Amino acid sequence: MAIKYELLKECPDTNARAGLLHTPHGTIETPIFMPVGTLATVKTMDPRDLEEINAQIILSNTYHLYLRPGHEIVKQAGGLHRFMNWNRPILTDSGGFQVFSLGDLRKITEEGVTFRSHIDGSKHFFSPESVMDIENALGADIIMAFDECIPYPATFDYAKDSVERTTRWARRCKEAHKNIENQALFGIIQGGMYNDLRTRSAEDILDIDFPGIAVGGLSVGEPKEEMYRVLEHTVPLIPKNKPRYLMGVGSADALLEGVGRGIDMFDCVLPTRIARNGTAMTATGRVVIRNASYAKDFSPIEDGCQCYVCRNYTRAYLRHLIKCNEILGFKLITYHNLYYLLSLMKDMRSAILEGNFLHFYKSAIDKIKL
Ligand code: PRF
Ligand code: ZN
């Protein structure tokens, strides 16, 4: 077995839990947020920066690396860890989200998905087997099954057909996965916003016996209350001895709500993406550093933040960089945003271990919504 989840402590008041996830490239303290490095780089952050902010695991994308530079090249480099000089754990997503976001550029059959590259329009085919091949070549510690993430809203009939196909694909992924000693394959629960489809999907995916379970198909445009309702229904169906991963979620409030509902792992482009358009995340909500109101603000992004950026730079300087499209501006805000989210996860974990998560949750949520 490539990974082992160790449950350390459960919150007495909520479904939050703290644990350890042992992987071939080291142990992750959960709950955790995974910075996204789509193209084998967390945009603007080199591995030294990531180690400095204590990133424990990063995510990369099968779809993108398959198109550029090609998984064979990454394999020849000695795998993704060596290729990008990151020696801590990596998770690769399967393309089950990217390919389905292509809209008109793709066609789904039982066998797999035909799609056109967003780069040059060239034609490609992904099946559960080919995706496992690619993820095996990339060599991440955790790899994701090839699923379909359906759009929101979706009819019951479409969601049902899709989730049943996702289950059949999950079985084929398990069958095709060739490197079980070094790579843990996670299954993905789908089912749209329908509780009964989520139940079916959870039962079927659990039946296949993956070492970790993801909840997919959320944060696709539904109201947040819908997402929390589906999570409350779905997470308790997953046994306590498996890590639970909520895919594509990374706003501070959703991390607090997700952890409270029993999620252990999250990823999202949000902190890195909004940084590059001049928005910082703080304990009291987002700060649009780009705004004119910060032109003469010589305070840090966030008072009291211990990150390198807040200890050394002012909002006025960062605004200047962003206004001039200077690379350093994008980098410094990215650095702060990731530091902030990783600190939030760390603080939640400490609160769970100390038995006061509910108290922590309440004060943190109130502050964000100020
Ligand atoms: N499936 C996969 N990746 C994903 C998702 C999914 O449903 C989501 C949903 N928010 C994000 N990333 N494979
Ligand atoms: Zn900071």
Side-chain angles (χ1 to χ4, degrees):
M1 268 311 203
I3 63 152
K4 187 177 178 301
Y5 176 73
E6 197 181 329
L7 177 58
L8 293 181
K9 174 116 183 173
E10 294 178 284
C11 172
D13 312 302
T14 70
N15 285 323
R17 56 209 214 129
L20 293 170
L21 186 57
H22 305 284
T23 85
H25 286 85
T27 296
I28 301 156
E29 298 182 327
T30 62
I32 191 69
F33 176 79
M34 305 183 279
V36 175
T38 295
L39 285 162
T41 163
V42 176
K43 294 190 195 307
T44 76
M45 298 281 285
D46 72 35
R48 280 191 294 204
D49 300 323
L50 291 168
E51 280 175 19
E52 210 168 85
I53 61 171
N54 245 317
Q56 300 187 52
I57 172 171
I58 60 172
L59 174 146
S60 200
N61 285 103
T62 300
Y63 166 80
H64 293 85
L65 294 176
Y66 158 81
L67 289 177
R68 282 192 310 207
H71 55 290
E72 287 301 335
I73 289 182
V74 176
K75 187 177 180 178
Q76 278 172 40
L80 195 48
H81 292 88
R82 283 213 194 154
F83 186 54
M84 68 179 292
N85 186 37
W86 172 255
N87 294 317
R88 294 183 182 182
I90 301 177
L91 178 152
T92 45
D93 195 1
S94 57
F97 183 65
Q98 280 74 31
V99 164
F100 292 100
S101 312
L102 293 173
D104 288 348
L105 297 175
R106 53 127 177 98
K107 182 169 167 277
I108 312 168
T109 65
E110 182 62 26
E111 199 44 37
V113 183
T114 307
F115 60 94
R116 285 190 182 276
S117 156
H118 70 286
I119 302 162
D120 61 5
S122 57
K123 214 170 162 184
H124 302 268
F125 178 70
F126 271 3
S127 66
E129 291 77 17
S130 73
V131 167
M132 287 301 102
D133 229 45
I134 301 167
E135 293 198 272
N136 285 164
L138 296 172
D141 303 84
I142 299 172
I143 66 178
M144 302 306 298
F146 188 53
D147 60 328
E148 181 188 0
C149 176
I150 59 171
Y152 176 85
T155 63
F156 182 86
D157 288 347
Y158 185 84
K160 181 167 184 289
D161 286 350
S162 165
V163 74
E164 287 172 357
R165 183 170 50 231
T166 284
T167 297
R168 292 190 294 275
W169 285 0
R171 274 194 208 100
R172 285 166 57 188
C173 283
K174 169 126 183 199
E175 192 70 21
H177 174 32
K178 289 290 177 297
N179 191 12
I180 43 178
E181 290 304 308
N182 303 299
Q183 298 183 281
L185 171 62
F186 280 25
I188 305 175
I189 299 172
Q190 292 286 350
M193 303 302 147
Y194 302 100
N195 278 356
D196 32 0
L197 294 183
R198 288 279 171 182
T199 304
R200 238 333 258 294
S201 177
E203 287 169 0
D204 293 347
I205 294 295
L206 288 166
D207 203 47
I208 303 172
D209 195 24
F210 295 102
I213 300 292
V215 182
L218 292 178
S219 196
V220 289
E222 77 282 14
K224 282 197 166 162
E225 290 63 38
E226 281 280 279
M227 171 162 93
Y228 301 146
R229 172 184 64 73
V230 173
L231 274 183
E232 269 160 43
H233 173 81
T234 308
V235 178
L237 303 171
I238 308 169
K240 286 184 176 177
N241 63 355
K242 307 227 182 202
R244 307 148 170 184
Y245 165 27
L246 176 55
M247 309 190 80
V249 169
S251 63
D253 56 330
L255 294 180
L256 284 152
E257 302 290 352
V259 168
R261 287 165 178 80
I263 296 293
D264 305 306
M265 303 162 70
F266 303 84
D267 79 281
C268 195
V269 295
L270 185 76
T272 41
R273 181 168 291 165
I274 65 177
R276 298 194 305 283
N277 85 75
T279 300
M281 301 170 93
T282 77
T284 50
R286 294 184 201 173
V287 179
V288 184
I289 297 293
R290 181 182 275 282
N291 282 351
S293 53
Y294 301 116
K296 296 176 187 170
D297 186 340
F298 302 109
S299 62
I301 295 177
E302 179 159 35
D303 276 321
C305 176
Q306 291 303 307
C307 89
Y308 164 75
V309 178
C310 291
R311 283 188 286 109
N312 292 285
Y313 298 98
T314 62
R315 292 174 169 187
Y317 178 63
L318 295 169
R319 173 175 187 271
H320 157 69
L321 293 179
I322 295 292
K323 290 297 283 182
C324 300
N325 269 326
E326 281 291 341
I327 293 168
L328 183 61
F330 306 132
K331 189 231 172 86
L332 294 176
I333 300 180
T334 300
Y335 187 107
H336 164 85
N337 284 356
L338 287 177
Y339 182 96
Y340 162 69
L341 281 192
L342 293 174
S343 305
L344 175 65
M345 299 308 294
K346 191 174 165 197
D347 292 346
M348 281 196 265
R349 187 171 192 273
S350 302
I352 297 165
L353 289 172
E354 287 159 15
N356 59 2
F357 174 77
L358 186 58
H359 173 79
F360 177 89
Y361 160 85
K362 282 181 179 159
S363 60
I365 276 285
D366 284 350
K367 260 170 98 184
I368 291 171
K369 288 178 176 163
L370 271 181

